[in-house]
């Protein structure tokens, strides 16, 4: 993969857009999960807080926490890529993420679904501030985080 160049501008775009979304976590976490189910209705079974409900539950603390975690970790990844040129997630965190995703039955294509939902949520939240550069910066950071988690999931199996 060679040396990764994640620019200062990309990092700034990710941080700025996360600040905007953070202003209404309940709204955007709901939007995020609605998008996941719209893209992949079958994904419902992967989330404990969606499994037994016909719709995306409003004000569910677990749902909010999961959505925030995805955005926050992607944002932190962007900062690490900029500063260190690679993803630096604590081993324990990665092991935990790998294990919990594997136990839940998550497979590689699910990461793409979540990425698409993340981008749609950003588009919704940023309105006309959303553009290709923003999309590119978040996509790149997310892809690197997803690779780290998927790699850990494979370690678990072996």
């Amino acid at each position: 993969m060679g040396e990764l160049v994640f620019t200062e501008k990309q990092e700034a775009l990710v941080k700025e857009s996360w600040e905007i979304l953070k202003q209404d976590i309940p709204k955007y976490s709901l939007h995020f999960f609605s998008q996941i189910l719209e893209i992949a209705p079958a994904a419902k079974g992967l989330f404990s807080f969606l499994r037994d409900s016909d719709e995306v539950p409003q004000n569910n603390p677990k749902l909010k926490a999961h959505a925030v975690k995805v955005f926050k970790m992607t944002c932190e990844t962007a900062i690490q890529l900029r500063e260190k040129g690679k993803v630096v997630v604590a081993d324990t965190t990665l092991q935990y993420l790998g294990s919990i995703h594997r136990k839940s039955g998550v497979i590689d294509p699910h990461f793409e679904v979540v990425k698409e939902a993340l981008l749609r949520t950003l588009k919704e939240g940023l309105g006309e501030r959303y553009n290709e550069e923003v999309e590119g910066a978040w996509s790149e950071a997310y892809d690197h985080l997803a690779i780290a988690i998927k790699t850990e999931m494979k370690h678990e199996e072996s």
Side-chain angles (χ1 to χ4, degrees):
M1 231 158 96
E3 197 45 38
L4 173 87
V5 182
F6 196 83
T7 67
E8 209 168 319
K9 177 153 195 220
Q10 283 178 302
E11 182 194 16
L13 286 170
V14 169
K15 280 179 167 165
E16 281 160 25
S17 37
W18 171 228
E19 284 305 321
I20 294 170
L21 259 58
K22 259 200 316 213
Q23 289 161 19
D24 196 347
I25 296 285
K27 176 182 169 184
Y28 294 119
S29 37
L30 202 66
H31 188 82
F32 176 61
F33 276 100
S34 306
Q35 293 304 312
I36 288 179
L37 293 184
E38 194 173 294
I39 302 163
K44 191 174 140 154
L46 298 172
F47 300 99
S48 58
F49 46 82
L50 296 178
R51 221 169 277 153
D52 308 320
S53 148
D54 284 338
E55 49 196 55
V56 180
Q58 301 265 357
N59 295 320
N60 181 304
K62 278 187 174 165
L63 179 144
K64 263 186 255 182
H66 192 291
V68 168
K69 216 169 263 170
V70 172
F71 277 92
K72 218 172 154 173
M73 284 196 78
T74 306
C75 187
E76 284 163 5
T77 300
I79 297 166
Q80 293 163 356
L81 289 173
R82 162 87 189 109
E83 288 173 358
K84 306 191 171 72
K86 60 177 195 279
V87 183
V88 193
V89 183
D91 284 345
T92 46
T93 308
L94 258 186
Q95 279 162 358
Y96 170 73
L97 287 169
S99 147
I100 203 146
H101 283 90
R102 205 177 56 84
K103 285 193 186 95
S104 307
V106 172
I107 50 172
D108 284 7
H110 292 139
F111 285 95
E112 283 303 309
V113 170
V114 169
K115 177 182 172 180
E116 179 59 31
L118 176 118
L119 295 174
R120 287 185 186 185
T121 305
L122 283 162
K123 196 171 188 175
E124 169 77 14
L126 299 176
E128 52 198 37
R129 290 192 222 185
Y130 184 84
N131 57 29
E132 273 178 20
E133 272 187 298
V134 171
E135 182 173 312
W138 277 91
S139 293
E140 198 169 320
Y142 179 87
D143 287 344
H144 281 274
L145 178 60
I147 289 166
I149 296 173
K150 287 192 256 194
T151 305
E152 189 55 50
M153 283 164 71
K154 292 193 174 70
H155 281 203
E156 281 250 321
E157 284 163 19
S158 51

